[in-house]
Amino acid sequence: MARKILLEHIQVQNINTFEVYRSKGGYAAVEKAIKTMSPEAVVEEVKKSGLRGRGGAGFPTGMKWSFLAKPDGIPRYLVCNGDESEPGTFKDRFLMTHIPHALIEGMIVASYALGANTSYIYVRGEMMPQIRILEKAIIEAKNAGFLGKNILGSGYDLELYVQPGGGAYICGEETALLESLEGKRGNPRIKPPFPAIAGLYGCPTVVNNVETIAATSWIINHGGDEYAKIGLERSTGTKLISASGNLNKPGVYEIELGLPVEEFIYSDEYCGGIAHGKRLKAVVAGGSSVPILPAKLILKTAADTARLMTYESLSDGGFATGTMLGSGGFIALDEDACIVRNTWNFSRFYHHESCGQCSPCREGTGWMEKILHKIEYGHGTLQDISLLEEINKKIEGNTICPLGDAAAWPVASAIRHFRDEFEWHVNEPMLSQKNNYGLANYGA
Amino acid sequence: MLRIHDTTPVKFHETLVEKFREIVGRYPEGKQKSALLPILHLAQAEYGWLSPATMDAVAVFLSIKPIEVYEVATFYTMFFLNPQGRYVLEVCRTGPCCLVGAEKIMQYLEQKLGVKEGEVTIDGLFSWRGVECLAACGMGPVLQIGPNYTFYENLTEQGIDTLIDELKAKSQK
Ligand SMILES: Cc1cc2nc3c(=O)[nH]c(=O)nc-3n(C[C@H](O)[C@H](O)[C@H](O)COP(=O)(O)O)c2cc1C
């Protein structure tokens, strides 16, 4: 069995309650950090661990923490990003539902390290049941003396609150999230200043993903060096992968980084292969925003080495032949899936979710949705395919936040790797309404 | 779109106001506007949707301008600016769920309820709509029903039949 850190006790009955979580060694990291370590020493351990942000960008967490400005007399904030709206990603929901105390414990450790006395967990509004679960866990932790005034007699105070979103993917982007937490529309801010300098209420703020925060407890308990031994090279530790689409066993899996993609898809320990005995056509490996790859390129890199579940291996080959680990939203498409339809669907998502602040994104995502709809329904032309590529280039890099890039990449990569399927929709408008293009030469 | 012709004044009952006050206490002095989203959720749970009068009352409570409430309520998709059915069935329509049959589920729901997306059934009980990714892709197709956002996973046509029957029975109690 593979190494488990976050989900080590997932099978234990009632692990969602404080007593059971505590009986399995829970909150030991809070005790160790607050009683025996300085905040700087906690940051140092996280730095040593090599932990990288699990929200999608993979930025080193310890480094982010050390960038936090500490001007005198100004409060600092830790805000946890539980917006989880990237299509294909559902690991944070899993963690908050089943082991809420893992997040609460991590929040206390991280808040202590950053010197925050008030911290917020921003959870997408649709996860009302998870919000209730977290609020209950907070009360339990508070009753046990791990939250509130003078935690464990240390003199350190911390209040923790859960904030609901309102249904907006853009509020997963950290500055939009902060706007939303201030009671505003989720329009991303221009950076700089970065949140580490001016974040929530203009104060220094760290924003971290749920899974990132939850991982810090183990690092404090066992040391950063121990964590760094897990995983592969610069992809240290374990990662929760949300597996969906046409798989035998979709679900949330904790993997040690470095696992071969092929093993993840086909072994019984993980996804158990493609559903209904079908063959794999394509994979979106890190949430809808990352480039889609045909089966042969997700299993092996262009250099014919096994593709591994690491930040580096998945991006091997750049965007020409690689993709990204992203948020770990692993979507498998079987031989019956239509790439054009899937791309249109994703474009509709980005168009719907664009906040409307920047013209290239607001207009461009709408155009892409319309053109893809046209091609999917048999009214497209070959020029439409080039037009899509053109629009893509005009969005990418030209917006305040990366939602524009996130909207452009799925379309660009679908055309890059599956152009013949787009052309088939144009050339065979009648046939493409009835049949699927199938596997062609994409399969492994 | 805001339904500005609906001007029935709204007065929140005391227990609700108490909850609002507790929420405002979560933020620093002067940052009470942060309470806007949580309060709008509570108000919507109470009235089923956000009328301009409800939003105006929220603005008064938070000492902010009405426009600050409208601009937020119109931005976030969870807030209803029109009256809905008693049960709003929100089906995920994004990629991963569509790979496992969400589109068929929506067609079935439309046929079963006899109303188009966004419309309310004559008995006032149901409305439905497609929504974007609900972060439950491995359990697709999925739908949610507010205000508690109860989740229904791995949907089938029979599952929809049972759910509708259950909700109908519940509404008669
Ligand atoms: C459009 C967009 C949506 C995002 N959605 C999420 C999200 O749902 N959850 C998340 O943790 N990060 C999301 N991010 C990334 C955040 O901006 C930020 O990088 C992250 O929360 C930092 O936490 P980490 O370093 O722990 O990963 C999103 C970014 C963009 C541009």
Side-chain angles (χ1 to χ4, degrees), chain B residues 80-91:
Chain B
F80 297 125
L81 304 170
N82 286 298
Q84 303 291 311
R86 176 146 159 206
Y87 303 107
V88 188
L89 279 55
E90 297 181 306
V91 187

Side-chain angles (χ1 to χ4, degrees), chain A residues 51-61 64-65 79-86 89 91-92 122 124 168-177 188 191 206-213 289 311 326-327 349-350 353 401-404 406:
Chain A
L51 175 66
R52 292 164 70 172
R54 305 303 195 210
F59 191 83
T61 307
K64 185 187 265 188
W65 289 10
V79 178
C80 174
N81 190 342
D83 191 59
E84 193 162 70
S85 330
E86 169 88 359
T89 317
K91 67 194 175 69
D92 297 339
Y122 182 101
R124 59 180 297 171
Y169 166 66
I170 190 60
C171 291
E173 194 282 331
E174 56 187 13
T175 61
L177 184 152
K191 296 193 254 187
V206 163
V207 181
N208 270 134
N209 174 255
V210 169
E211 185 189 349
T212 313
I213 304 248
S289 306
Y311 294 95
S327 62
F349 171 83
Y350 290 106
E353 299 301 326
C401 92
L403 189 139

Side-chain angles (χ1 to χ4, degrees), chain A residues 72-102:
Chain A
D72 275 341
I74 294 178
R76 304 189 276 276
Y77 292 103
L78 169 65
V79 178
C80 174
N81 190 342
D83 191 59
E84 193 162 70
S85 330
E86 169 88 359
T89 317
F90 50 101
K91 67 194 175 69
D92 297 339
R93 168 195 289 279
F94 185 86
L95 206 77
M96 293 188 282
T97 307
H98 300 291
I99 344 176
H101 284 284

Side-chain angles (χ1 to χ4, degrees), chain A residues 197-328:
Chain A
I197 309 297
L200 184 62
Y201 310 129
C203 301
T205 303
V206 163
V207 181
N208 270 134
N209 174 255
V210 169
E211 185 189 349
T212 313
I213 304 248
T216 56
S217 303
W218 194 96
I219 293 169
I220 295 312
N221 283 328
H222 302 265
D225 289 334
E226 279 308 300
Y227 190 86
K229 285 182 196 158
I230 306 164
L232 191 68
E233 293 161 10
R234 285 185 54 236
S235 296
T236 64
T238 64
K239 171 95 189 80
L240 296 180
I241 304 293
S242 320
S244 69
N246 309 120
L247 293 162
N248 273 324
K249 295 193 295 167
V252 175
Y253 295 97
E254 181 170 15
I255 61 152
E256 180 167 350
L257 288 166
L259 181 78
V261 173
E262 186 161 6
E263 189 179 336
F264 182 67
I265 299 177
Y266 292 102
S267 85
D268 285 332
E269 193 179 338
Y270 301 106
C271 303
I274 308 307
H276 311 298
K278 297 254 157 87
R279 286 173 303 165
L280 180 67
K281 179 173 180 176
V283 166
V284 180
S288 60
S289 306
V290 312
I292 186 170
L293 287 183
K296 56 183 184 193
L297 276 178
I298 189 70
L299 299 175
K300 288 220 165 91
T301 66
D304 208 34
T305 57
R307 186 82 77 177
L308 309 176
M309 301 286 270
T310 62
Y311 294 95
E312 295 75 23
S313 178
L314 281 167
S315 59
D316 187 283
F319 276 8
T321 58
T323 179
M324 286 158 80
L325 179 61
S327 62

Side-chain angles (χ1 to χ4, degrees), chain B residues 155-172:
Chain B
L155 293 172
T156 58
E157 293 183 357
Q158 294 95 302
I160 296 279
D161 290 345
T162 317
L163 173 62
I164 303 273
D165 288 345
E166 275 172 18
L167 292 174
K168 276 187 181 157
K170 201 166 119 190
S171 72
Q172 312 223 300

Side-chain angles (χ1 to χ4, degrees), chain A residues 17-240:
Chain A
T17 63
F18 178 83
E19 293 75 37
V20 176
Y21 181 75
R22 180 88 175 115
S23 75
K24 290 287 163 192
Y27 289 93
V30 174
E31 289 182 304
K32 183 171 175 185
I34 293 190
K35 288 187 177 163
T36 72
M37 296 168 78
S38 67
E40 296 73 30
V42 175
V43 175
E44 203 44 46
E45 285 309 317
V46 174
K47 262 191 180 167
K48 274 196 245 167
S49 74
L51 175 66
R52 292 164 70 172
R54 305 303 195 210
F59 191 83
T61 307
M63 206 189 292
K64 185 187 265 188
W65 289 10
S66 64
F67 288 159
L68 185 69
K70 299 195 171 76
D72 275 341
I74 294 178
R76 304 189 276 276
Y77 292 103
L78 169 65
V79 178
C80 174
N81 190 342
D83 191 59
E84 193 162 70
S85 330
E86 169 88 359
T89 317
F90 50 101
K91 67 194 175 69
D92 297 339
R93 168 195 289 279
F94 185 86
L95 206 77
M96 293 188 282
T97 307
H98 300 291
I99 344 176
H101 284 284
L103 176 58
I104 306 299
E105 180 175 13
M107 284 299 289
I108 304 171
V109 170
S111 300
Y112 173 73
L114 300 168
N117 298 113
T118 307
S119 297
Y120 298 96
I121 306 175
Y122 182 101
V123 180
R124 59 180 297 171
E126 294 91 339
M127 292 198 199
M128 234 25 119
Q130 284 68 30
I131 291 173
R132 302 276 168 271
I133 292 171
L134 290 173
E135 284 176 340
K136 178 166 169 277
I138 288 172
I139 292 171
E140 290 175 328
K142 203 165 183 173
N143 289 341
F146 287 100
L147 272 172
K149 290 244 171 299
N150 192 17
I151 296 172
L152 307 175
S154 63
Y156 173 63
D157 305 335
L158 175 64
E159 292 297 337
L160 195 51
Y161 301 107
V162 189
Q163 177 84 357
Y169 166 66
I170 190 60
C171 291
E173 194 282 331
E174 56 187 13
T175 61
L177 184 152
L178 296 174
E179 287 286 298
S180 179
L181 182 45
E182 292 182 4
K184 300 178 203 152
R185 295 165 74 94
N187 288 345
R189 299 174 182 169
I190 293 172
K191 296 193 254 187
F194 288 90
I197 309 297
L200 184 62
Y201 310 129
C203 301
T205 303
V206 163
V207 181
N208 270 134
N209 174 255
V210 169
E211 185 189 349
T212 313
I213 304 248
T216 56
S217 303
W218 194 96
I219 293 169
I220 295 312
N221 283 328
H222 302 265
D225 289 334
E226 279 308 300
Y227 190 86
K229 285 182 196 158
I230 306 164
L232 191 68
E233 293 161 10
R234 285 185 54 236
S235 296
T236 64
T238 64
K239 171 95 189 80
L240 296 180

Side-chain angles (χ1 to χ4, degrees), chain A residues 352-371:
Chain A
H352 184 266
E353 299 301 326
S354 171
C355 80
Q357 207 178 195
C358 315
S359 316
C361 173
R362 181 187 61 240
E363 305 301 326
T365 52
W367 297 341
M368 291 202 296
E369 182 198 339
K370 274 195 203 134
I371 297 167

